Structure formats: structure tokens, C-alpha cells
Amino acid sequence: MATFLQWRKFVFFDKDTVQDPLDNGKSFLLPNGISACDSGRGHIVLGDMDGNIWLLMRLLQLTNFQAYKLRVTHIYQLKQHSILVTVGQDEHGINPLVKVWNLDKRDSGSPLCTRIFPAIPGNKPTEVSCLSVHENLNYMAIGFTDGSVVLTKGDITRDRHSKTLTLHEGTIPVTGLAFRQVAKVTHLYVATLEKVHCYTLTTKEYPKVELDNHGCALRCSSLTDPSQDSQFIVAGDECVYLYQPDERGPCFAFDGTKLLARWHRGYLFLIIRNTKTRFGSGPSDKQLLTIYDLDNKFIAYSALFDDVIDVVAEWGSFYVLTRDGKMHILQEKDTQTKLEMLFKKNLFVMAINLAKSQHLDSDGLSEIFRQYGDHLYLKGDHDGAIQQYIRTIGKLEPSYVIRKFLDAQRIHNLTAYLQALHRQSLANADHTTLLLNCYTKLKDSLKLEEFIKSSESEVHFDVEIAIKVLRQAGYHSHAVFLAEKHMHHEWYLKIQLEDLKNYEEGLRYIGRLPFDQAESNMKRYGKTLIHHIPEGTTLLLKGLCTNYHPSGDTAEIESHLERNPFNKANSEEFIPIFANNPRELKAYLEHMIEVDPNSSQGVYDTLLELRLQDWAHEEDPERKKILQDEALSLLRSDNTVFDKALVLCQMHNFKEGVLYLYEKGKLYQQIMHYHMQNEVYDKVVEACKRYGDQEGCLWEQALGYFARKEEDCKAYISEVLGHIDQNNLMPPLLVVQTLAHNSTATLSVIKDYLINKLQRENQQIEDDERKICQYREETAHLRSEIQELKTSAKIFQKTKCNMCNSPLELPSVHFLCSHSFHQHCFESYADNETECPTCAPENRKVMDMLRAQDQKRDLHDRFNRQLQSSHDGFSVVADYFGRGVFNKLTLLTDPPGSKPVGNLEVNLQRDLLIRTKRNC
């Protein structure tokens, strides 16, 4: 029970008397004899003792109409409809009539009366004590002084659609009625002088509940707003009771004889008979109006009035109507003004409650909480202040609060505020850092674990910042937990490998990651892991570069395979990881080329270098031979880069590899030079034999090499000269000049070569002279034939065609060369009409030879002239070589084995070389 004396009193209303707009300075006067009143729909309704209904508009305009012949006793104005229900008398005696008026419709200038019926419970006449109408127009309840309640169901505005029944019977007068509608359930509260009942109207039997055995006087009951759960208020002489449909609610001890109880816009208005005495006189005839705020437990206004008729609410204000005909207006102060009044008295709790009841926005509430927090902070109540500051989160800048509690003595309060900031997901990275530092300074491991081990849906902080702070503070286990839980793989591995040195766990964790993350982390931490766990790291890298499957739960693996059916890293990118672990690197590379023969060239090159290093440092002959074969097998693969492999073989002096690569690259001269540098004479000659056909200059280089040797190399020189002589690779004079540099090479060395050369030259001369004689005889014979053809007739005795070998028939074609043809055969095969088809190829051959000789003769003369007149004979020869002059010209008509032109070219080249040699 709340005691009235404990409630604070305020003046939250401004009182004034309503002035007459037509006569300034005078009060507005109501009609005389007011007996009932109500308000709603933008006007105040008044009923007088003469049966008139007065409508008071906002601009204080009064209009009236005659509703009853005698008087009006009760008025009920619906708030949601322009329907007015009145009770009055048209004749003397006990004969009350209920009339329903539609204020929107007119009948002869007056509102339309839609229904009239007598208000009689049963057949016995009795006075009406109270009236209530449901806003849905389906229920009307009339209370009588004999204790009866008549309920009208249906459309109350029409007789045909409604029925009337006696709901309640008794002997005690009914003093209050009120309908309560919640969802689809309708209740009717019935108050008498001694009891309070509640009927459920949505049930057929209309069950009744007796709520209390305390009643109230007439006009001392009311119904609260739906915001207060539509409770029924009963104002007794000692207390004010609130009722729910099934039980009694709170009770407030407000002493005094209650004359009127009204509920308007969240306030309870009570008119109490004033029992205080004036100084030197008897009891006052004034009435005390008190306005209560039941939610916030304070008195909003209190004042004395003379004989109050009623209190109505309309046009945003409250009006107190008194018997002297005056209207007093109570205007509520605005919320900010009321709050300032409370702030001046440091009543912040009440201000907060008031702001909430007034539905103040969140910004306004936050400002109240801030001021309350500042007040408590100045008083030294830091715990209470931080609770108020917590309520400002989201509106007040956090730095305003944090600065106040940075002192080490107030770290607990700061921690509480930062926790609340994180719970509302409004903390930034700095706030997270500060909170974790608070935990670590307080060494509150339990709170720290509770903070970081919250569920995923309750995480209200930047996880990465939290990990950083915990790591810096030395809480590595907490940081690791947080990193693993929220899948911050980089931080987890950084802490495990750099701080905790837990390499086994780090390697295991990487093996459980998805492919992309496992690959990136192996590139980052691979060197560290290979140094401490070489075997396990190598095994993981092998899997990562072939077909990676993360280790862990089967469901996780299957999910990973669905997203990434095939994962394979670039094996070459991980080679730098093995910088100081050649043994593991070799095993890794050998595994890669075995699993994937198409591995990158870098893999093959690195593996070759490793094998060559092992070969170079191996001293066991058998083992060295095995390593040599392994290196050669790698060189023979198609994936080795020639240049890189050659450099590696040369760096490690791997003879077999160098020679193999020279041969593979057709670098025959380099092969021979390699043997020359190592002075392996047999290999020099062998190289000439093997590759001399592809590159003829090898024999000349070999001859020059042996000629420069001061050792006894006669056997090798003789062998080289034999091959040069056999293939006619060098002019004899050039051979002699080459061997002249060797003091050990005597004439006996080249004796056989020179003899053979001279013999072949002599043989060539004899053959040429014989051909000259033959050509002279043939020429003389041809001249005689030409002369004979010119001086005598030619008889053609051919009987067959030389083309088709068939008997000749006319027309036919005959040539002086004694060849005859059918005309149609001649036309089919002859290239022109003046040349014999049979002799044409031989004639063309001869003509080509003659033209070639003429060209050679002219070219030879021009070349000799340029060579003799030039100061740089070598450039002339090089120019002619570049133009292809010394290339052998092969005639298409040359029969196989014939060398008439070729010998001429050979002789010409020999002379040019000798002369060039001499001139240079």
C-alpha cells in the first residue's frame, strides 16, 4: 500500500479561469442549473435541470437543444463516435428515459434522436444512478438505485437490433459502471456502495466475479487507459483500489471523503471534501482537487475549488466545472519544464520515470541518465554513476565516461562500463583494448575467460584486437583459444610458432586448414617448420603440391572436397623453404618429379644442382657412379633447361653432363674444344669422326690444333690428313702452311698426302686433256655435218614416229637431225615449232653450260680486278662469300657424277683461298 503522505507534490499544471471571448476581463459563465456533463469529439456536453443539452465548442460557442421536458440526469459522450446517450425525464414521477442522439445528423435544427426507451429494471420504477456505453455501440449498461443493472445488447442506436436484460440484481444502489475490452473479451465492472463485481459478457452465462467487499460512492469510480491495462478504479474513503477482471490490484492510501474520481490521460483526478479548518473559523466549504501520477508515485497538482460539478478533458487541457458557473482550465506543463523542476531538486529517478511515462525519446532519456550519472559521480557514488552512464550507451560519447574513470582506483567501474559497451556491440578497437587491459591489470582470469569464451552470437568485440592485446599481455593461451575459435589462422600460428614455440601443434593446425590458407601459411612459416620438424614439414609439402586433403573430421574433409575437388600448389614456390635442408629438399623434389613428371623447370634444375653437388662431394667410386647416372638421367629428360643445366655441369666439372649437353645442342665444335682443353687427343679425333659429316671444319680445326702442339703428334696428324685428303676439305697449300708451325712435323708426315694430291691433280689434267681432244673431234664432226646440210639435200627415210614409234602417216614433221614425228604427236609434245622435241633437252643442257662458263669467266675476271685493287682483300672475299658466289651451282641437266662445273668451282675456290691467304 502506498501512503499518500510519502508522495512528493509538484505543480505540473498551470491553473487559470476561462475568460469570456466576447467580454474581455470577465470569466466565462456556464448555463445555470447544470446537472450532468461529459466531453469528447471536440466539445463539452452539458445537461441542465430544464432538460436542455448544451454543446460547448472550442471557441467557447454554446449551442443547445431541448432534449427532455423536465431535466437531464446523465450524459455519456462516446469518444470514437458522434453518438450521445442521455438519461432524463419528460414527465413527473419516476419515469427515466434513455435517448440516443446522432450529433452528425440533424432533425429540425437539432441532433437526430435515433432511439428512445424507458430505463426501468423489470416492472418496478426506480431512479437511474449511473450510465456506461461500450465504444463498439453493442453494449449499454444502466445502473439503478435499487441495485439493478440493465444491459442492452446489439445496436444501441436502434430498437430492432438490440435486446435488454437485467444483468445484476441487488438491494444496494449501483454507483459505477465501466466496460473493459481486451482483445475479443469484454468485461463489465459493477460497483455498488458495498461491493465490486465483474461480469464477462462474451460468455453466454455472463459469469460474475466478486472482486471486493468494499464499494464506493456515486461518481467515485473510473476506468484507466489501455496503457495501464484498463484497470477499474474505485475510490473509497480511506483508499483507492485498482481491479483486474479476476482480482484486486494495487491499493493506494488516500484519506478523505471522495466526491469524484476521474481518469484522464494517465492521471487520476480526485475531488476530496476539504476537512482542514481555517484559522479562527469552522471547516472550509472548499473541495480539494488532487491530480495523482500513480505510475511515478507523485502528486502532479493540488488546489481548492468551490463545489466542483465535474472534471473533463478536452482540447489538450483539463477543465474543472464549478457550481458558480465558472470553468477553470488546467494546462499541463511541457515535459522539459517538468524535468527541469525535478533536476533542480535532484530527483533524477523520478525524472527518469516521468520521461518514460511521457514517452520521451531515447535522446532525452539519455540526457537524463547523463545528468543523473554526473550527480552521483560528484557525490562520490561511482558505482551508481557508472550504472547510469551504462544506460546512456548508444547516445553519449563513450570517451566522456571513460575519461572520468581512468584512475586506477576506479578500474572496476570502467570495466563494468566497457563490458556493457561490448554487450551492445558499440565498442571499437580502442574500447576492446582498454577492457582487456583492465582484465589483465586486475588479473581477473575468470572475467577474461568469460569475455573471450562467449558464444558466436554473443561476440561484441573486435576479435583481432583482442588477440593482439592478450598476446602483448602474455595471455598466450587465451589468445590462442580466441584465434582458433574465430578462425584467425595467421594469429594462431604466429602465437604458437613465435611465442610458444609449439612447432608440432603449428604444423598440425596448418594441415587442417583449407587449401588456400594452408598454402599461404606454409609459405610464411615453412622455413621455421622445416628447421625444427623437417620430416613432418616435408611430408605436408608433398601433399600440398600433389593433391591436398585437409586432415580433421570426415565431414569437414567431404565439405572441403565438394568446394575444391582438386587442389595442387606450385611446387617450385616452396623450394626456398629448404634453403638449409638439402637432404629434405632432394627428397621433396624427387617425390614431385615422380608423382608429376610435368613439374616445372625450376624443380628439375634445382634437383639437378643437388645431384651434382652430391656427385662432386662423393668419394666412394661406386656411389659416385650411381650419382653420375642419376644426374645424366635427369639431363636426358625433356624438362631440363639447356642453358641452366650446362652452367651447372660446368660449375661442378661434370664432364659427362657437359659433353651430353653439347651433343644434345649440336655444339660439335664445343665438344672438340672441350677435348682439346683437356688434351685428350683420341677424343679429339673421335669427335671429328663422329661429327665431321655435320660440320666439316672440325677436321681443319683438329689439324690446326695438332699442328700447334710441340709434342710428337705425327700419328694424329697423319690420320687427320688422310680424312682431309679423302674428302678434299683443304687446299694442299693451306695444309702445308698450317703444318709449318709444328717443328716436329717433318716432310715425311705430309709426303704421302702431297704425293696422293699431285697424282690426283695429274690424273685430273689427263682427263681434262682427253676430254678436250674428244670435244675437238666432236666439234669438227658437227661442223662437217652443218656444212653438208647447207650444201646438199637431206633425204628423210624414217618410217616410224620417234615419239610414239608408230608408222609415219601424212601429215608428218621432219627435222634435220633425222627425227620424224606425226604432226599430232609433235603438236602435243613440242615446246616450240622450230625445235626437235627429242634433241631439245640435250641442246638446252649445252646452252646452259655455255652460259655458265661465260658468267664464271666474267665473274672471275671482275673478282680478280677488285681483289688486286683493294687494300682489304679479306673484306672483298667476305663480300663474295656473303653473296653466295662460291656456292656450288648445280645444273638440273647435269647427269649424276658429272663435275665439269664443279671442278671449275673447286679450282677457283682453291686459287682464291691461296691468294687471300697470301694477301692477308
Side-chain angles (χ1 to χ4, degrees):
M1 178 182 293
T3 305
F4 165 73
L5 296 176
Q6 296 175 348
W7 288 27
R8 288 183 173 272
K9 295 183 179 181
F10 301 98
V11 182
F12 286 165
F13 289 86
D14 294 325
K15 175 187 174 184
D16 198 2
T17 302
V18 178
Q19 301 296 317
D20 191 341
L22 300 178
D23 189 358
N24 293 333
K26 289 187 177 182
S27 299
F28 178 78
L29 296 179
L30 298 172
N32 295 324
I34 299 298
S35 59
C37 65
D38 201 355
S39 64
R41 304 297 292 178
H43 51 250
I44 298 175
V45 185
L46 306 172
D48 61 17
M49 299 298 293
D50 295 329
N52 295 313
I53 298 293
W54 298 83
L55 298 178
L56 179 61
M57 302 304 173
R58 183 164 190 173
L59 297 179
L60 301 182
Q61 298 173 347
L62 274 172
T63 60
N64 71 310
F65 63 91
Q66 186 74 33
Y68 294 92
K69 296 178 180 180
L70 295 182
R71 61 179 178 176
V72 179
T73 59
H74 297 83
I75 294 177
Y76 194 98
Q77 171 65 57
L78 276 77
K79 304 301 184 290
Q80 300 178 11
H81 305 276
S82 294
I83 299 297
L84 179 67
V85 181
T86 60
V87 178
Q89 292 181 348
D90 280 342
E91 56 187 24
H92 295 283
I94 303 175
N95 188 19
L97 291 176
V98 178
K99 294 185 180 182
V100 180
W101 308 87
N102 189 336
L103 300 180
D104 290 339
K105 296 182 179 181
R106 294 288 169 176
D107 181 16
S108 301
S110 300
L112 176 64
C113 182
T114 62
R115 185 180 181 186
I116 302 175
F117 64 93
I120 300 175
N123 293 321
K124 50 184 179 179
T126 182
E127 295 287 346
V128 175
S129 58
C130 53
L131 170 68
S132 182
V133 182
H134 199 292
E135 288 292 333
N136 64 9
L137 300 179
N138 286 326
Y139 294 101
M140 180 193 301
I142 305 173
F144 296 90
T145 56
D146 66 351
S148 301
V149 175
V150 174
L151 177 67
T152 301
K153 292 183 61 178
D155 189 353
I156 65 169
T157 62
R158 298 181 183 182
D159 291 325
R160 291 184 302 171
H161 300 89
S162 64
K163 61 180 180 178
T164 302
L165 58 93
T166 302
L167 180 68
H168 178 79
E169 293 182 349
T171 58
I172 303 173
V174 178
T175 57
L177 294 172
F179 286 100
R180 180 181 188 269
Q181 183 73 42
V182 177
K184 295 183 179 180
V185 180
T186 304
H187 296 94
L188 175 64
Y189 290 104
V190 177
T192 67
L193 290 174
E194 295 182 356
K195 293 184 180 181
V196 178
H197 301 88
C198 180
Y199 288 87
T200 303
L201 302 182
T202 50
T203 305
K204 284 187 177 181
E205 288 76 14
Y206 307 120
K208 178 178 69 171
V209 176
E210 183 177 324
L211 299 177
D212 207 342
N213 55 7
H214 296 283
C216 64
L218 198 62
R219 302 201 307 166
C220 290
S221 63
S222 185
L223 191 71
T224 65
D225 298 330
S227 59
Q228 277 77 23
D229 201 19
S230 298
Q231 299 181 84
F232 188 54
I233 298 175
V234 174
D237 289 342
E238 296 181 355
C239 299
V240 173
Y241 302 94
L242 276 71
Y243 296 94
Q244 295 284 349
D246 53 353
E247 62 180 354
R248 191 176 78 178
C251 174
F252 302 94
F254 299 148
D255 293 335
T257 303
K258 312 300 186 301
L259 301 177
L260 179 70
R262 291 287 183 264
W263 183 273
H264 295 301
R265 294 206 296 268
Y267 291 107
L268 174 62
F269 291 75
L270 288 181
I271 300 293
I272 304 174
R273 180 177 289 114
N274 187 23
T275 58
K276 296 181 180 180
T277 60
R278 296 181 180 178
F279 181 76
S281 64
S284 172
D285 56 354
K286 296 282 188 179
Q287 296 176 351
L288 179 64
L289 170 63
T290 307
I291 303 175
Y292 297 93
D293 188 329
L294 299 183
D295 286 341
N296 300 314
K297 307 293 188 299
F298 65 80
I299 298 174
Y301 184 75
S302 181
L304 294 173
F305 291 89
D306 293 326
D307 198 3
V308 177
I309 300 175
D310 208 339
V311 179
V312 295
E314 196 63 36
W315 310 312
S317 300
F318 303 111
Y319 294 89
V320 181
L321 283 63
T322 57
R323 294 290 179 189
D324 58 4
K326 294 182 179 180
M327 286 180 63
H328 303 276
I329 182 172
L330 298 178
Q331 292 182 329
E332 187 176 8
K333 298 179 184 293
D334 60 89
T335 303
Q336 190 60 39
T337 302
K338 290 188 285 186
L339 292 175
E340 290 176 358
M341 296 171 63
L342 295 175
F343 292 158
K344 291 179 180 179
K345 298 181 180 182
N346 294 327
L347 299 176
F348 293 98
V349 176
M350 190 171 290
I352 292 170
N353 295 331
L354 176 64
K356 289 181 178 179
S357 65
Q358 298 288 329
H359 304 290
L360 194 66
D361 59 10
S362 57
D363 292 333
L365 280 172
S366 177
E367 179 61 22
I368 298 173
F369 295 141
R370 183 195 66 77
Q371 294 187 36
Y372 191 18
D374 292 345
H375 172 70
L376 296 176
Y377 182 84
L378 293 175
K379 288 176 60 178
D381 184 4
H382 298 123
D383 294 339
I386 205 66
Q387 293 303 319
Q388 298 306 317
Y389 287 135
I390 287 174
R391 301 171 78 175
T392 65
I393 291 176
K395 300 298 181 182
L396 182 63
E397 177 62 35
S399 60
Y400 176 86
V401 180
I402 293 173
R403 283 195 298 267
K404 292 178 177 291
F405 294 90
L406 284 177
D407 192 342
Q409 301 298 326
R410 302 166 189 167
I411 192 170
H412 291 86
N413 303 124
L414 179 60
T415 303
Y417 180 78
L418 292 172
Q419 285 177 335
L421 202 62
H422 282 80
R423 280 195 298 269
Q424 298 188 33
S425 301
L426 295 174
N428 57 27
D430 294 332
H431 299 149
T432 301
T433 303
L434 188 57
L435 177 59
L436 292 174
N437 285 329
C438 290
Y439 284 142
T440 54
K441 287 184 179 180
L442 293 172
K443 300 189 182 301
D444 193 346
S445 299
L446 294 178
K447 284 287 186 181
L448 183 59
E449 290 186 5
E450 181 183 352
F451 179 75
I452 67 173
K453 292 184 178 181
S454 58
S455 62
E456 288 289 340
S457 60
E458 297 176 353
V459 174
H460 309 292
F461 57 90
D462 190 322
V463 176
E464 187 171 359
I465 295 297
I467 295 172
K468 288 182 181 178
V469 175
L470 292 172
R471 185 189 181 203
Q472 292 174 357
Y475 286 80
H476 295 118
S477 60
H478 296 77
V480 164
F481 169 82
L482 207 56
E484 183 176 13
K485 178 181 178 182
H486 297 280
M487 294 187 293
H488 285 261
H489 309 306
E490 294 79 5
W491 282 107
Y492 181 89
L493 293 172
K494 188 185 291 290
I495 298 170
Q496 288 283 15
L497 299 178
E498 297 179 10
D499 300 331
L500 301 178
K501 309 297 181 183
N502 194 350
Y503 304 108
E504 293 283 352
E505 175 60 25
L507 184 63
R508 180 197 64 81
Y509 189 83
I510 293 177
R512 296 174 55 189
L513 296 177
F515 170 75
D516 295 337
Q517 297 172 0
E519 180 185 19
S520 62
N521 283 291
M522 279 306 296
K523 291 178 181 178
R524 183 175 303 168
Y525 301 106
K527 287 185 179 180
T528 303
L529 293 173
I530 201 70
H531 177 71
H532 295 89
I533 317 174
E535 294 182 0
T537 306
T538 304
L539 184 63
L540 178 58
L541 285 173
K542 288 179 181 179
L544 196 63
C545 296
T546 51
N547 190 10
Y548 176 73
H549 301 301
S551 60
D553 298 338
T554 305
E556 293 180 2
I557 296 175
E558 292 178 354
S559 175
H560 174 80
L561 292 177
E562 289 179 0
R563 297 191 305 269
N564 305 295
F566 187 76
N567 295 303
K568 179 180 177 182
N570 186 355
S571 54
E572 186 177 354
E573 295 179 353
F574 294 98
I575 292 177
I577 291 176
F578 297 88
N580 300 317
N581 298 77
R583 183 171 61 87
E584 285 74 17
L585 176 58
K586 184 177 179 181
Y588 165 73
L589 296 176
E590 288 177 345
H591 172 78
M592 292 312 304
I593 64 173
E594 180 181 354
V595 174
D596 184 11
N598 296 322
S599 296
S600 61
Q601 294 177 347
V603 173
Y604 281 90
D605 295 339
T606 308
L607 181 58
L608 175 62
E609 183 177 2
L610 291 174
R611 289 184 175 179
L612 290 176
Q613 288 177 356
D614 294 343
W615 173 85
H617 294 91
E618 185 61 49
E619 296 180 357
D620 184 8
E622 295 182 0
R623 178 62 182 165
K624 197 175 186 72
K625 183 65 172 62
I626 295 174
L627 294 174
Q628 174 181 316
D629 294 339
E630 290 179 353
L632 286 175
S633 66
L634 203 60
L635 288 174
R636 294 189 181 98
S637 66
D638 296 333
N639 300 83
T640 305
V641 180
F642 178 83
D643 296 338
K644 294 182 180 179
L646 182 59
V647 171
L648 291 173
C649 291
Q650 290 173 344
M651 287 174 55
H652 296 88
N653 196 22
F654 186 51
K655 174 183 176 182
E656 288 76 8
V658 172
L659 294 176
Y660 170 77
L661 291 173
Y662 281 159
E663 183 177 2
K664 182 179 179 181
K666 297 182 180 181
L667 302 175
Y668 305 126
Q669 293 190 33
Q670 281 78 354
I671 295 175
M672 194 171 68
H673 291 163
Y674 183 83
H675 293 314
M676 289 177 179
Q677 291 174 358
N678 293 285
E679 297 186 350
V680 185
Y681 302 149
D682 294 337
K683 294 293 184 180
V684 173
V685 177
E686 183 181 350
C688 291
K689 291 179 179 179
R690 290 184 62 182
Y691 312 116
D693 294 339
Q694 285 86 356
E695 200 160 350
C697 64
L698 295 180
W699 289 103
E700 300 177 16
Q701 294 175 5
L703 181 62
Y705 170 72
F706 289 123
R708 288 190 296 272
K709 291 293 181 182
E710 296 299 329
E711 304 173 10
D712 189 3
C713 300
K714 293 180 180 180
Y716 298 108
I717 293 174
S718 298
E719 187 174 359
V720 173
L721 281 176
H723 193 83
I724 291 174
D725 183 29
Q726 182 180 355
N727 294 281
N728 195 21
L729 298 177
M730 293 178 65
L733 184 58
L734 188 57
V735 172
V736 173
Q737 290 177 348
T738 302
L739 293 177
H741 297 289
N742 193 326
S743 60
T744 61
T746 60
L747 186 60
S748 61
V749 176
I750 60 172
K751 176 182 177 182
D752 296 337
Y753 166 75
L754 292 175
I755 291 173
N756 291 334
K757 194 67 177 176
L758 291 174
Q759 287 178 352
R760 282 198 298 273
E761 292 291 338
N762 290 334
Q763 183 65 37
Q764 182 66 36
I765 293 171
E766 293 177 358
D767 292 341
D768 291 343
E769 289 178 350
R770 186 172 57 254
K771 287 184 178 180
I772 291 171
C773 293
Q774 180 183 348
Y775 291 157
R776 285 176 178 173
E777 293 176 356
E778 291 178 357
T779 302
H781 180 71
L782 289 173
R783 286 175 177 172
S784 63
E785 286 185 358
I786 293 171
Q787 185 63 30
E788 184 179 354
L789 290 172
K790 289 181 178 181
T791 57
S792 60
K794 180 68 174 178
I795 299 174
F796 300 100
Q797 296 180 350
K798 286 284 186 176
T799 61
K800 292 185 178 181
C801 177
N802 288 94
M803 191 64 68
C804 64
N805 205 24
S806 299
L808 284 173
E809 296 177 354
L810 295 177
S812 59
V813 180
H814 302 277
F815 287 92
L816 295 177
C817 59
S818 300
H819 293 143
S820 301
F821 307 93
H822 293 112
Q823 185 174 359
H824 61 85
C825 290
F826 174 75
E827 292 175 353
S828 300
Y829 293 97
D831 292 336
N832 56 66
E833 297 178 355
T834 60
E835 188 175 9
C836 173
T838 303
C839 299
E842 187 67 22
N843 295 337
R844 193 176 298 112
K845 177 182 175 181
V846 174
M847 295 303 294
D848 289 341
M849 289 174 62
L850 293 175
R851 283 195 296 270
Q853 288 176 357
D854 293 339
Q855 291 176 1
K856 289 291 184 180
R857 188 180 302 112
D858 296 340
L859 182 62
H860 188 275
D861 296 339
R862 186 167 62 254
F863 175 74
N864 282 331
R865 288 194 300 271
Q866 290 183 4
L867 191 62
Q868 290 173 1
S869 60
S870 175
H871 297 289
D872 186 3
F874 183 81
S875 61
V876 176
V877 176
D879 180 53
Y880 274 79
F881 265 110
R883 290 189 286 173
V885 173
F886 301 111
N887 295 339
K888 183 178 182 300
L889 178 62
T890 303
L891 297 176
L892 297 176
T893 56
D894 285 351
S898 61
K899 300 181 181 179
V901 180
N903 290 334
L904 178 62
E905 288 186 351
V906 171
N907 295 334
L908 177 61
Q909 291 182 16
R910 185 189 309 117
D911 295 340
L912 291 176
L913 286 173
I914 293 174
R915 180 168 296 183
T916 303
K917 181 77 174 180
R918 187 180 300 114
N919 292 338
C920 294

